[in-house]
Amino acid sequence: MSFSRARPLSAAVLVTALAAVGLVPTATPAAAATVPVGSGSYTDTRPAGTSGPTTGTGTPVTPKVTPAARAKPLPTNDWWSSLAFQRYADNPWSTPMYGHPLTYQAVAGGLEVGYPTAPTVSGDGRQYEYAHKRDLTLGLTGLNSADTKADAWSDWTVTPYWSDGARTLRATIGHGLPFVYAKGTGGDARITTAAAPAVFADQGNVLGITVAGHHYALFAPTGADWTVSGSTVTAGLGAKDYFSVAVLPSTDALATYRKYAYSFVTGSKVTWSSTGGTVRATYSLTTAPQEGTETGTLQALYRHQWLYTTDALTPYTYVSPRGTMKVREAASFTTSQQGSGVLPTLPASTGVDRARLRGYLNEVANAADPFSGARDTYWTGKALGKLAQLVPMADQIGETATRDKLLGLLKGRLQEWFTAGGASEFSYDRTWKTLIGYPASYGSDTELNDHHFHYSYYVYAAAIVAQYDQAWAADPAWGGMVKTLIRDAANPSRTDADFPFLRGFDIYAGHSWASGHQGFAAGNNQESSSESTNLSAALVLWGSATGNNELRDLGSYLLTTESEAIAQYWFDADQQVFPASFGHDTVGMVWGSGGAYSTWWTANPEEIHGINVLPVTGGSLHLARRKDAINRNLAELQRENGGPAVEWRDILWEFEALSTPATAKTKWDAGNAGYGPEAGESKAHTYHWINTLAAVGAPDATVTGSIPTSAVFSKGGVRTYAAHNFESVARTVTFSDGATLTVPARSTASR
């Protein structure tokens, strides 16, 4: 958790576009106070006494966008969200935005640009930062704008807009872009530097300068000339309206960068596919030449990208909080990764005593309140997740009555939330184009935080229900409401007029962001990366259970991509990302500027380490790809904790079981009688998880199956192959080592 330009579409066009990805809504928000969706409904007015997005002082706030952008749903929870969500009354421009390699901050006179290359570590050693520090400000002579608005955006770029009545400025920026592409009217191009620049190249309309040890190239239209006066550099634009600035990896790169200085990036887009256990993604930029005919460009790849591309890279590199970025000289690149498998539950094994598991299951199923009093979106979600994990386990050992009782509990609580007018409901905010659950929690209403965290549990629970009751999950029944939550948190459609494309997932950064407003000096943040991947795993299961391959493959892309980002940026798996001076092997939170060994609510090491593990599900198997990182993580926990885990021992035992199951089982055997489960856990699940892995071995990520709902385990050199078949006919799953497994219809098999 975190405490942290388009024409409107006609209804016919919208339905056609959504049909392509299987997300046709039963109804879209209209004038009615209650919007029916199959058997369920939501409201389009907030419940009495509740709040929507507000400033930090509680004043209602509306998106800060230009008229041209108002019709397009705003992707809150992004690296640049403070441009559009004004959290603080005294800052109508933006907080620092971390594009990497460049950093930015909008101010009255234009766009501050920095390139932080020297990390700092906080006095307590808990946070490292490559904090934004202005090298220069890009603007126009005389520009003094009262605010900055978001004018246009694409998958990982955004265009801020300034106007003071006499002058207008637009500047396109983005992840991986070494250029800032500016268009201005009403004044000369003006660059003000933090200190008097050293000029290393003067070619008239092309100027090379060094500021604070960083090399920049300034590009004005052909025929213009840059003039340097102290810390101010200007160039008349004449009848033209464009200029650009680039950060150079070295002064001798000027000629290469000059080639692309007028090939302005106008958009960015990712496409993906998941086939035969392999996930491929292509990241493409669109460009428009302002002069000449060049349409190519340069882009810097993050570590989680360049590790998985065979596309040619230049020798140029940049420093970033995510490790070295490598430059590609092209408008696109493609990554290819082994997919991360998801199972509804671990396979049956001889390690689980059925009578003992039955007793643990009954403790939960027969509890006076299986939901432990949860009422808000987050804690209800946690309770749903806990119960959902037990359903396939009960089925596995033939406890059909317990299975059905648990399914009834899940359906009842989901239906309560999926029906407008009760104590719990979802409400659509037309202004922000988002679905908010009430009672809300952790700023999911006022700050639009954490929707992917909270809703992940609802989608996961619904996917488990769908596994056993397809009629319940059909669109005319309750599936329509599940899809509406998906549209809010992880919408695969770019043409949906009611919800943005992939609200919280930062496509280029490879992971999600939690804050809806990004109103921090350190940029945006995400703490519980594992609750983010819980949504991705839920999409795999929901899509598989309902025959929606588009959502299934979206889940595979998100899970596989974020899995590598987590390994590199939360766990420093290759030990190539965290600064040497940081002194930690993991972080609880990733920020735009770096990372922190902390959580929002406690400095307890158990929660710092455990928050990026929970909830432990069949979608957590990807963590076992880097067993060395798990081992370092747990060794640090032991050091920082001054001994074994106490409070979240079940979560951390389960984490350890992904690397060394025998050790985890020893700890479970010694300590299972004397602990209380974490709120989203149960003794039934922890017992089943640890003892199953002790019997079949840890997940073997070197082998993948031909369907997303498959996995391999290895113990003593012997592999166990497992898969769940959601289809109505038997199928044979092929694994990358040549093994095959025939799985009957609608069942799990292993061998």
Side-chain angles (χ1 to χ4, degrees), residues 303 307 564 567-568 571-577 626 632:
R303 181 175 183 82
L307 281 171
E564 185 60 31
Q568 296 297 332
F571 298 157
D572 198 15
D574 294 331
Q575 298 180 286
Q576 295 293 313
V577 173
R626 295 304 300 264
R632 284 196 304 272

Side-chain angles (χ1 to χ4, degrees), residues 223-551:
D225 189 19
W226 291 101
T227 299
V228 180
S229 177
S231 296
T232 302
V233 186
T234 57
L237 298 177
K240 306 297 176 64
D241 66 350
Y242 57 85
F243 62 104
S244 64
V245 172
V247 62
L248 303 179
S250 60
T251 56
D252 60 9
L254 178 59
T256 300
Y257 280 64
R258 179 172 185 167
K259 178 180 178 182
Y260 303 108
Y262 305 102
S263 178
F264 276 33
V265 167
T266 56
S268 56
K269 184 177 182 180
V270 66
T271 57
W272 61 82
S273 65
S274 178
T275 307
T278 299
V279 174
R280 292 182 175 85
T282 298
Y283 300 82
S284 302
L285 297 172
T286 54
T287 63
Q290 303 306 296
E291 57 183 64
T293 59
E294 180 60 62
T295 57
T297 191
L298 296 159
Q299 52 189 323
L301 281 62
Y302 283 115
R303 181 175 183 82
H304 76 275
Q305 296 169 325
W306 57 256
L307 281 171
Y308 294 96
T309 187
T310 58
D311 293 338
L313 302 174
T314 71
Y316 299 132
T317 63
Y318 290 105
V319 173
S320 88
R322 311 292 179 251
T324 299
M325 300 183 78
K326 297 188 177 184
V327 177
R328 174 159 166 76
E329 192 174 1
S332 69
F333 65 91
T334 298
T335 61
S336 180
Q337 295 174 256
Q338 286 184 315
S340 299
V342 179
L343 294 174
T345 195
L346 296 182
S349 79
T350 58
V352 173
D353 180 86
R354 293 191 173 202
R356 188 173 182 182
L357 179 58
R358 184 184 306 116
Y360 287 141
L361 288 168
N362 287 336
E363 286 180 7
V364 180
N366 298 329
D369 179 8
F371 291 91
S372 303
R375 297 310 308 175
D376 64 41
T377 48
Y378 181 72
W379 291 102
T380 297
K382 292 270 288 185
L384 288 167
K386 175 180 69 175
L387 298 179
Q389 294 305 310
L390 305 184
V391 171
M393 290 164 43
D395 187 59
Q396 188 179 88
I397 64 171
E399 292 294 315
T400 55
T402 301
R403 176 200 68 190
D404 292 344
K405 183 174 184 177
L406 292 166
L407 284 169
L409 291 169
L410 292 174
K411 290 177 185 178
R413 188 53 60 94
L414 287 169
Q415 289 167 199
E416 175 188 324
W417 275 88
F418 290 169
T419 303
S424 308
E425 65 180 355
F426 287 96
S427 175
Y428 182 78
D429 187 306
R430 295 186 192 180
T431 302
W432 287 91
K433 298 185 185 298
T434 184
L435 195 72
I436 302 173
Y438 294 96
S441 47
Y442 303 112
S444 59
D445 50 353
T446 57
E447 301 180 26
L448 300 183
N449 295 342
D450 300 359
H451 285 201
H452 60 314
F453 293 166
H454 297 201
Y455 301 173
S456 73
Y457 291 103
Y458 295 75
V459 178
Y460 203 106
I464 294 297
V465 173
Q467 182 177 331
Y468 297 93
D469 189 344
Q470 290 187 305
W472 184 93
D475 285 355
W478 299 98
M481 277 300 296
V482 178
K483 289 181 178 180
T484 304
L485 264 67
I486 293 171
R487 288 170 66 200
D488 180 80
N491 192 359
S493 173
R494 292 182 176 85
T495 57
D496 188 335
D498 297 323
F499 297 97
F501 174 65
L502 295 181
R503 177 183 302 281
F505 189 76
D506 188 322
I507 292 153
Y508 205 83
H511 60 80
S512 298
W513 295 114
S515 169
H517 57 73
Q518 188 258 310
F520 304 98
N524 213 323
N525 70 88
Q526 178 158 271
E527 185 180 62
S528 184
S529 60
S530 48
E531 288 181 304
S532 179
T533 55
N534 191 47
L535 177 59
S536 306
L539 291 173
V540 172
L541 294 178
W542 173 264
S544 299
T546 60
N548 190 317
N549 293 344
E550 290 81 6
L551 289 180

Side-chain angles (χ1 to χ4, degrees), residues 8 91 126 325 338 461 521 633 734:
N91 183 4
R126 286 179 169 265
M325 300 183 78
Q338 286 184 315
N633 187 307
T734 302

